[in-house]
Amino acid sequence: MDKITTLKLAEFKRQGRKITALTAYDAPFARMMEDAGVDLILVGDSVGMAMHGKADTLSVTMDEMVLHARAVASAVKRPMVVVDMPFMSFQVSKEKAVENAGRLIKETGAQAVKLEGGEKLSATIRAIADAGIPVMGHVGLTPQSVHQLGGYRVQGKQPEAARRLIADAKAVEKAGAFSLVLEAVPAELGAVVTASLHIPTIGIGAGAGCDGQILVMHDMFGISDGPHPRFVKTYVNMREQAVNAFKEYVDEVRDARFPAAEHCYHARDGTPLSVVAKKR
Ligand code: KIV
């Protein structure tokens, strides 16, 4: 079972073999993804919304990313594990960005970091890559800029915005990124960006023309708070299944149907009872 590396992902692009990616934040789900053949696991800062009940990703800390990424990276062998650099861990200075990227790699065992932003982040991407850390870029809808973007909106719909996005994608590649997440852009633009780059694109709401796809696990399981964007496909409604299971448990406990005899430990020959009986 060969570890997925940056070289392998580049080879997949050349071969036209689609890259499969998902987000995970803990060991059990990471292991299940490995069993299912997922190539790349992103420990996204979406953890803030998916697991910590936050309204956006902005409050996610380095410590939280380290905790979740360590659990994921310890659990899997084959998939590449990429960790998101949280808001304000890479924007202040190149030096701070390299330091934080280094911490994510050293303390988690992940293979790469991801950061949001285009041309303006070129020097930062270059500095991290020069430190020997593979960097995944992220353009289009960049959730850490939600307030600047005026909400979670599709990007690159107008010709000028599309041109800027293509320039951003090329700048990220030139700066040394090994792959690029394209989020919430028209499918046509996703295909154009993919064709104009040598590095693989991983789309989320960017159409079927990307080199790979990624979804937030909690979205595909229907367990994140809705409403969901159009690009989300609910593969299984785990929320409904879990709520039904919890209801059944509540009913059974209230009606004294759980625990049943097979869920109880039993004393040999009724020993404790005879001891109590003798003492009386
Ligand atoms: O944080 C995240 O989960 C992401 C994906 C949406 C790509 O950045």
Side-chain angles (χ1 to χ4, degrees):
M1 193 187 291
D2 285 348
K3 179 84 188 167
I4 301 291
T5 60
T6 54
L7 296 180
K8 196 105 200 135
L9 295 177
E11 193 183 318
F12 287 165
K13 176 169 177 125
R14 284 195 301 274
Q15 293 169 341
R17 192 279 212 179
K18 297 280 186 187
I19 297 162
T20 57
L22 283 171
T23 68
Y25 318 104
D26 62 27
F29 279 109
R31 263 189 223 114
M32 289 183 236
M33 288 174 192
E34 171 157 39
D35 290 349
V38 171
D39 298 316
L40 186 150
I41 299 179
L42 170 70
V43 185
D45 60 355
S46 50
V47 68
M49 296 156 96
M51 297 208 58
H52 295 276
K54 299 285 167 54
D56 53 48
T57 60
L58 302 181
S59 63
V60 174
T61 65
M62 280 289 293
D63 287 347
E64 286 167 344
M65 293 311 299
V66 166
L67 185 77
H68 289 282
R70 188 186 287 146
V72 169
S74 311
V76 298
K77 290 189 173 63
R78 180 184 167 272
M80 170 181 266
V81 177
V82 182
V83 197
D84 242 339
M85 297 197 70
F87 183 54
M88 282 300 134
S89 69
F90 61 92
Q91 292 92 338
V92 176
S93 69
K94 272 189 304 187
E95 291 71 23
K96 193 98 190 127
V98 174
E99 199 175 303
N100 281 325
R103 182 178 168 210
L104 289 173
I105 298 297
K106 278 180 90 149
E107 295 185 22
T108 70
Q111 287 79 53
V113 298
K114 174 168 86 59
L115 58 86
E116 295 180 10
E119 201 161 2
K120 289 185 192 141
L121 266 302
S122 292
T124 304
I125 293 171
R126 167 60 57 206
I128 299 172
D130 281 351
I133 300 171
V135 182
M136 175 181 263
H138 182 158
V139 300
L141 170 54
T142 45
Q144 290 177 11
S145 309
V146 58
H147 299 310
Q148 193 178 46
L149 298 175
Y152 297 102
R153 311 155 76 93
V154 180
Q155 302 296 305
K157 275 177 124 177
Q158 305 302 328
E160 184 40 40
R163 266 193 289 277
R164 235 180 304 124
L165 197 139
I166 294 168
D168 276 334
K170 286 185 173 168
V172 167
E173 175 176 70
K174 195 164 170 225
F178 73 94
S179 72
L180 178 69
V181 167
L182 278 177
E183 181 165 351
V185 300
E188 298 79 6
L189 180 57
V192 168
V193 172
T194 301
S196 56
L197 298 184
H198 298 289
I199 58 172
T201 58
I202 312 285
I204 174 162
C210 296
D211 297 307
Q213 298 292 327
I214 186 163
L215 277 180
V216 170
M217 186 199 90
H218 288 58
D219 291 346
M220 74 176 286
F221 284 171
I223 47 178
S224 50
D225 291 337
H228 293 129
R230 170 200 288 252
F231 61 72
V232 169
K233 177 171 173 184
T234 307
Y235 280 81
V236 52
N237 194 332
M238 244 189 203
R239 185 177 201 286
E240 202 175 290
Q241 291 182 357
V243 171
N244 286 340
F246 294 145
K247 277 187 184 156
E248 203 176 321
Y249 169 76
V250 167
D251 288 347
E252 289 192 0
V253 169
R254 285 193 182 142
D255 300 347
R257 282 181 288 129
F258 178 84
E262 67 266 30
H263 307 118
C264 296
Y265 299 105
H266 297 284
R268 206 172 293 143
D269 306 328
T271 312
L273 296 179
S274 54
V275 169
V276 172
K278 265 183 212 156
K279 275 193 178 162
R280 276 196 187 145

